[in-house]
Amino acid sequence: MKFADKPANEEDRLQSLHASGLPESGPSERFDRLTRMAKRIFDVPVAMLNLVDADQLLPHSCIGLEPEKWDRETSLCSHVILQSTPLIVSDLLEDPRFHDAPAITHQGLRFYAGCPVHMPDGFAVGALCISDTRPRLLSEDEVAVLQDLAAIVEDSFAVLTEARLDQLTGLANRRGFDVLASYALAGARRREKPACLCFIDLDGFKIINDTWGHEAGDRALGVMSGLMKQCFREDDVIGRRGGDEFSILFTDSSLSGASRAMEVLQHKVSLYNETSGQPWQLHFSWGMAQYDPLRHSSLRSLLQLADRRMYQMKKSRQQAR
C-alpha cells in the first residue's frame, strides 16, 4: 500500500486537533447521527468519521464496523487530509495505491469515499467516509451530498471549539487550556523536551471593577490578554482560567527562557500603564513551575505548584507595601 505523506503543517494540525478535545472525548452520539444518515443515504454497510492523530486513526463515529484504533500509515483517511476534495476509490482492489490495504485484506471493503473535515482554523483533522463491500461509482450529486454532510460535521466542530474558548478574551478557557496543555505535556515527555507552566493573577482587579465598573474590568482583561499574545510564541498555550486568572504553558522552554518571556510581559504592561491614559493600571503576580515528568504526574499537579508560587509573590508584594 502507498503510505501517505504527512502534511507540511503537521505539528500545527495536531495542535488544532487536540485543542478541540475530540480525541480525548471519544465517540459521540452527535456524530453517530450523521454517520447513520450517511449510511442510509448512500445505502452502504459502513460509514465513519475518523480523526487522523499522530500515529493512529481514531474512529469518532463508526457504523457498520467494530470501532478500533487503526495505524495511520495504512489508513485511507491519511490520504484524504492531504487534499481539498473528496477521495473516491471505486474499486480498492484495482487501485495500485490501495489494493493491499487492511481495509481490503481485513475488512473486505472494495469501495471508499472520504471527504476531509476541518477545524475552524482550517486544519484538516480527519475524514467523513463511506465504504462498501462491492465496487461502485458516485455521481456528482452524491459527491455533493457527501460534502454537505462533511460541512455539517465541521459546523459541529466549530460549536465544540467555541465551547473551549473564552468569549471575552479569545483565549482558551479553563477546559480548553487543560486539554491542549495536557497534550503538549505528553508531547514534551515523549520528545524529552522542557516545558514550564506559569500561573498569573491580576493584582487589584476588584478595585478596577468596583471603582470604574465592569466595563473597565473587561477592558483590563482584554488588554492583558492582548499583551500576552504579543509577548509569547504561537506554540505557547495561553488560557484564561476564569475571573482575573490566566495560565501559560511555555513549550520547549527552560525555566530561564520562560522567566525572560515573563520579564518581557512585565515591561509591556509597565509601558501600557505609562501610555494608555486609563484611570486604572494593570499589575499582576505570577508563579512558575518547570515540568518534571518524574514529579508531575498530571497537569493539575503542575498548576497547583505554579499557583502556590504565584500566591507567594502576591503575599510578599502585599507585605512590602
Side-chain angles (χ1 to χ4, degrees):
M1 176 183 172
K2 175 180 173 56
F3 296 159
D5 295 330
K6 291 191 175 181
N9 57 11
E10 178 68 358
E11 285 300 317
D12 291 335
R13 189 191 71 83
L14 289 173
Q15 186 177 39
S16 178
L17 171 62
H18 283 270
S20 71
L22 289 169
E24 293 76 17
S25 65
S28 165
E29 174 62 24
R30 174 196 293 262
F31 297 108
D32 285 346
R33 287 193 292 269
L34 289 171
T35 49
R36 284 196 296 265
M37 185 184 301
K39 183 177 182 295
R40 289 195 301 270
I41 290 173
F42 294 100
D43 189 24
V44 292
V46 177
M48 296 181 289
L49 172 61
N50 293 319
L51 305 175
V52 181
D53 204 353
D55 301 308
Q56 293 180 314
L57 195 70
L58 307 178
H60 209 60
S61 176
C62 189
I63 306 297
L65 286 178
E66 285 297 318
E68 59 179 291
K69 294 181 179 180
W70 294 285
D71 287 340
R72 172 179 174 171
E73 65 178 9
T74 57
S75 74
L76 277 70
C77 295
S78 62
H79 291 262
V80 176
I81 64 170
L82 296 175
Q83 54 188 66
S84 58
T85 57
L87 171 65
I88 314 292
V89 186
S90 299
D91 190 344
L92 292 165
L93 196 58
E94 296 299 322
D95 193 305
R97 298 170 297 174
F98 309 121
H99 67 93
D100 57 349
I104 299 174
T105 58
H106 295 168
Q107 282 104 29
L109 302 177
R110 293 287 297 275
F111 164 79
Y112 174 90
C115 188
V117 290
H118 303 79
M119 296 304 298
D121 55 15
F123 291 108
V125 296
L128 176 67
C129 49
I130 55 174
S131 291
D132 204 336
T133 54
R134 58 184 177 85
R136 60 180 290 178
L137 299 172
L138 286 187
S139 68
E140 289 186 7
D141 287 344
E142 287 176 318
V143 173
V145 170
L146 183 62
Q147 291 175 306
D148 287 342
L149 290 175
I152 296 174
V153 170
E154 293 177 344
D155 288 343
S156 294
F157 284 176
V159 170
L160 293 173
T161 300
E162 192 75 10
R164 294 176 183 271
L165 289 177
D166 177 62
Q167 297 301 304
L168 177 62
T169 63
L171 301 176
N173 61 19
R174 179 191 294 261
R175 185 180 181 191
F177 177 87
D178 289 353
V179 168
L180 188 52
S182 294
Y183 171 71
L185 286 179
R189 181 170 60 250
R190 185 173 61 251
R191 297 191 301 270
E192 298 183 347
K193 294 290 187 179
C196 291
L197 189 137
C198 183
F199 200 105
I200 289 178
D201 185 84
L202 297 187
D203 298 331
F205 180 70
K206 186 176 184 300
I207 296 175
I208 296 177
N209 274 330
D210 291 347
T211 306
W212 292 282
H214 289 283
E215 185 176 343
D218 289 349
R219 169 70 175 165
L221 292 171
V223 169
M224 187 67 183
S225 302
L227 293 175
M228 286 191 288
K229 291 175 185 177
Q230 291 177 26
C231 294
F232 305 146
R233 304 165 302 176
E234 290 187 0
D235 292 342
D236 298 328
V237 184
I238 313 172
R240 181 188 175 201
R241 303 203 65 76
D244 58 349
E245 295 179 339
F246 299 87
S247 49
I248 306 100
L249 182 71
F250 295 99
T251 60
D252 196 12
S253 180
S254 65
L255 195 61
S256 60
S259 296
R260 285 195 296 272
M262 292 303 298
E263 290 171 2
V264 173
L265 177 62
Q266 183 67 71
H267 174 72
K268 287 275 190 181
V269 168
S270 297
L271 186 61
Y272 175 83
N273 288 336
E274 293 172 4
T275 59
S276 70
Q278 297 288 349
W280 45 264
Q281 291 197 329
L282 282 174
H283 300 283
F284 65 96
S285 297
W286 53 276
M288 188 89 71
Q290 180 151 1
Y291 176 57
D292 182 346
L294 298 179
R295 294 177 53 210
H296 305 120
S297 59
S298 66
L299 172 67
R300 182 180 178 182
S301 62
L302 197 61
L303 279 165
Q304 289 173 339
L305 177 57
D307 189 21
R308 288 197 301 270
R309 290 177 175 172
M310 180 275 294
Y311 273 108
Q312 290 171 0
M313 176 183 285
K314 187 181 289 286
K315 185 177 179 179
S316 65
R317 287 179 171 178
Q318 290 171 345
Q319 293 174 342
R321 291 173 185 166

